Amino acid sequence: MSGLKEPEEFEPEQGSLRLASPDDNATTADWEKATAAVLRKARRLGDDDPDDLVWQKLTRTTLDGIDVPPIGSRELAGRTTTSGRPTRAGDWDIRSQVTVVEERATNEEILVDLDQGVTSLWLDRVDGVDLAALLDGVLLDLAPVVLDGHGDDTTAAARAFIEVLGDTTPADGTSLGAAWDDDQLVDVARLALDAGTLAVVIDGTTVHDRGASDGQELGWSLAAGIAALRTLTDAGIELDEALGLMEFRYAATDEQFPTIAKLRAARRLWARVVELSGSELTQQRQHVVTSRPMMSAFDPWVNMLRTTVASFAAGVAGADSVTVLPFDSPLGVPDALGRRVARNTSSLLISESHVAHVADPAGGAYAVEKLTDDLAHAAWAELGRIEADGLDALDARIAAVVAERDDQIAHRTRPITGLSEFPNLGEKLPERSAYPTPHDVRRYGAAFEDLRGRPADRPVFLATMGTVAQHTARATFAANLFAAGGVTAEPAGATTGVDDLIAAYDGQQVACLAGTDAAYSEWGAQAVRALRDAGAAWVILAGKGDVGADDSCAVGVDALTFLATTREKLA
């Protein structure tokens, strides 16, 4: 701050700093020993298993087949072969997505957004929209506008916007928003060069919304970007001019570190493409949108948490523009509350948490650097497959990823809070008007949402065995599982034996025993027989055991198959 040069003679040699106490200096073996003790206590590691088995037990594999170890290490980070860091300096652009329902009403929403912190606009579905009415009062030299959803005539929509622009010098980042494969891409690009705007959006969210993995989204975006460059340069537009017309759009999920790594990898990958093309304009302009598929129409308030994590990750990863989708967007057109929370999410991260004050704060972290490098290699390999086999083959690979993710969600190893975990059957969802043109999105929790949207007409009898303290763990597990499928559970309460259970039973078609292993051994089989004699057509056991039940539910069960069977028996 004083302008004096830092005295380099006082700077320690890299890697030479030590913690204050010798007791704080732990080795890898120390960590393995402490971690193994925890896993043995949780019965995930045997007494005779070596401590270093913790790496295998705790390493998870992404949908791209990348192994992510439990902690990063200098050794792993030292194996990276790609380089490059985000360079955004200062605040990111807070970009609001604008869904046009009626021009004048939407214009009022736009002006409120801009007055309350939004710095740019993303116009969704501009086909047939009166842009002059929609953008009335918007200072187009200060607030960038990005067009989307042009309809069949992209050039006409672009010309309409340029007419509204008039003699105004457009704000940096303004884009006519043509897609990479638009038949009118070259015409739009020439309009953009004359008007001083961007022309092309390489929208990776189109494959993300279909269920693509991070590596597939990156690989697709590279292929689309290369195709756009070829189209523009083949039409006589200079390479550097073509590069200057492009913006990339990616999705940010609530998986914080994979999102950070994906966006960092995207910059490295595009820089390599540009380098091989013979240009020095290696910077990639990124617009990052919080993921649509990760959101849920049920318990939509949890979407606020998801989008906060996603937008944090986008900002940390150096995104130039960030769009936080409103928490109520899965329900329909967002209302004023949804829009306010969305724009304030970025404002709070920037102005109160000061996330934007440091460039690439995750850079140098061993785990982040390794995951960035791994994702870059996975995406480059995906690009090679697309170039060799075409986009139809990519569709098949995306379908395989969707199937794998769906299986994880069904087994609840990839939980969705408020939907597959901790559902609230008594919630009253906010009412929102339908979108004029809905987005083609398959949400990750679509199968559970389908069950919740068709609640079962009849409840399950929760045959709780023993005191509340004795049965509450399994009863809670079972009740939450049933609720995830739109099924209500009616508990018996505290019981001391079969007579108490039958006294609480009210003729439900399906009954589920919930108690301790000791209770199951003592009177579980007797309870099953008594419930069947009383009229239960299907008896389930919460947990594991042999009591003669028809089905069971425990950790790791395929919840969707289990719930489908249960609902069938209830019907």
Side-chain angles (χ1 to χ4, degrees):
M1 295 296 289
S2 64
L4 297 176
K5 184 179 179 181
E6 292 285 345
E8 296 180 1
E9 62 269 22
F10 296 122
E11 182 178 341
E13 182 181 350
Q14 290 296 314
S16 64
L17 290 178
R18 296 290 181 266
L19 298 174
S21 169
D23 295 336
D24 294 329
N25 291 313
T27 65
T28 300
D30 293 331
W31 175 83
E32 291 171 350
K33 181 179 179 180
T35 306
V38 175
L39 293 188
R40 290 189 179 101
K41 192 173 183 180
R43 299 179 183 177
R44 295 182 60 187
L45 205 64
D47 291 337
D48 297 330
D49 289 329
D51 290 348
D52 61 7
L53 192 61
V54 297
W55 292 97
Q56 179 182 327
K57 291 289 185 180
L58 296 178
T59 293
R60 68 179 184 87
T61 303
T62 71
L63 293 169
D64 289 302
I66 297 170
D67 289 335
V68 181
I71 59 172
S73 68
R74 180 182 299 179
E75 179 186 2
L76 288 174
R79 300 174 189 169
T80 58
T81 58
T82 63
S83 62
R85 303 179 67 171
T87 57
R88 188 203 68 232
D91 301 349
W92 60 81
D93 168 35
I94 303 175
R95 184 169 295 177
S96 173
Q97 185 183 43
V98 179
T99 300
V100 183
V101 178
E102 191 280 322
E103 286 88 340
R104 291 297 177 186
T106 305
N107 172 257
E108 294 180 7
E109 295 177 349
I110 286 174
L111 296 180
V112 169
D113 278 351
L114 291 170
D115 184 58
Q116 297 296 320
V118 164
T119 53
S120 72
L121 303 172
W122 171 20
L123 305 186
D124 187 27
R125 306 290 193 266
V126 297
D127 182 29
V129 171
D130 182 352
L131 291 176
L134 181 67
L135 298 174
D136 184 31
V138 176
L139 302 179
L140 299 177
D141 57 337
L142 298 178
V145 173
V146 178
L147 307 185
D148 199 359
H150 310 77
D152 295 331
D153 196 344
T154 309
T155 305
R159 290 185 186 279
F161 174 74
I162 292 173
E163 184 177 343
V164 173
L165 194 62
D167 295 331
T168 302
T169 300
D172 180 44
T174 298
S175 176
L176 303 182
W180 67 278
D181 57 349
D182 196 310
D183 292 340
Q184 302 174 30
L185 174 60
V186 173
D187 293 335
V188 174
R190 297 195 188 283
L191 288 173
L193 288 171
D194 291 339
T197 69
L198 305 178
V200 190
V201 174
I202 307 300
D203 191 356
T205 68
T206 58
V207 290
H208 173 84
D209 289 351
R210 288 163 42 202
S213 67
D214 290 339
Q216 289 171 339
E217 182 184 352
L218 290 175
W220 179 92
S221 72
L222 295 176
I226 291 169
L229 279 182
R230 288 170 177 161
T231 298
L232 295 175
T233 54
D234 287 349
I237 296 175
E238 294 293 328
L239 175 61
D240 284 358
E241 287 184 325
L243 288 167
L245 294 173
M246 302 175 72
E247 180 176 66
F248 287 73
R249 184 177 295 148
Y250 294 110
T253 71
D254 52 1
E255 293 185 318
Q256 174 180 311
F257 290 111
T259 292
I260 293 171
K262 177 174 75 173
L263 300 178
R264 297 176 85 245
R267 294 183 182 278
R268 297 182 183 186
L269 290 161
W270 187 242
R272 179 58 175 158
V273 169
V274 173
E275 179 186 7
L276 293 173
S277 300
S279 174
E280 296 181 356
L281 299 181
T282 57
Q283 293 300 312
Q284 183 189 59
R285 184 187 288 265
Q286 286 184 356
H287 171 207
V288 181
V289 186
T290 57
S291 168
R292 290 187 184 90
M294 76 171 177
M295 301 177 84
S296 172
F298 291 91
D299 205 350
W301 318 101
V302 181
N303 291 332
M304 295 185 196
L305 303 179
R306 297 184 178 108
T307 56
T308 297
V309 174
S311 55
F312 170 85
V316 165
D320 299 291
S321 303
V322 176
T323 296
V324 177
L325 296 179
F327 76 93
D328 51 350
S329 57
L331 299 171
V333 179
D335 73 351
L337 174 63
R339 295 180 65 81
R340 178 164 65 88
V341 172
R343 64 177 178 259
N344 284 352
T345 301
S346 274
S347 294
L348 289 169
L349 288 171
I350 292 171
S351 300
E352 296 202 13
S353 299
H354 306 297
V355 173
H357 283 199
V358 179
D360 192 27
Y366 298 144
V368 173
E369 292 293 353
K370 183 66 168 64
L371 186 53
T372 299
D373 190 71
D374 286 342
L375 262 176
H377 284 286
W380 195 260
E382 184 61 53
L383 169 63
R385 288 189 287 269
I386 293 173
E387 292 272 289
D389 305 330
L391 291 176
D392 289 342
L394 172 62
D395 292 340
R397 291 193 294 275
I398 291 176
V401 167
V402 169
E404 183 177 352
R405 183 190 292 111
D406 284 351
D407 184 69
Q408 294 172 0
I409 290 171
H411 287 85
R412 302 199 296 178
T413 56
R414 186 183 287 265
I416 303 175
T417 304
L419 189 62
S420 68
E421 299 279 1
F422 311 110
N424 177 14
L425 288 182
E427 70 176 332
K428 181 176 175 57
L429 294 175
E431 295 184 2
R432 299 290 183 266
S433 59
Y435 285 104
T437 307
H439 288 277
D440 184 16
V441 178
R442 185 184 185 279
R443 288 194 289 273
Y444 297 151
F448 281 99
E449 287 188 355
D450 176 63
L451 294 177
R452 288 285 299 278
R454 300 180 292 108
D457 295 329
R458 300 176 181 178
V460 166
F461 175 60
L462 195 56
T464 46
M465 303 170 65
T467 65
V468 172
Q470 290 171 332
H471 69 237
T472 189
R474 280 179 170 155
T476 301
F477 172 86
N480 277 329
L481 177 56
F482 289 128
V487 178
T488 302
E490 296 181 341
T495 61
T496 58
V498 173
D499 291 342
D500 288 345
L501 277 184
I502 300 305
Y505 177 70
D506 193 25
Q508 294 90 339
Q509 288 289 103
V510 176
C512 177
L513 267 63
T516 62
D517 289 343
Y520 291 163
S521 298
E522 183 179 349
W523 52 288
Q526 183 182 358
V528 170
R529 290 193 296 270
L531 286 167
R532 286 191 177 127
D533 291 342
W538 191 256
V539 181
I540 300 166
L541 182 72
K544 298 179 180 179
D546 184 11
V547 296
D550 301 296
D551 201 355
S552 65
C553 58
V555 174
V557 68
D558 183 332
L560 290 174
T561 300
F562 170 81
L563 290 168
T565 301
T566 301
R567 289 168 63 103
E568 179 183 332
K569 300 302 179 181
L570 284 172

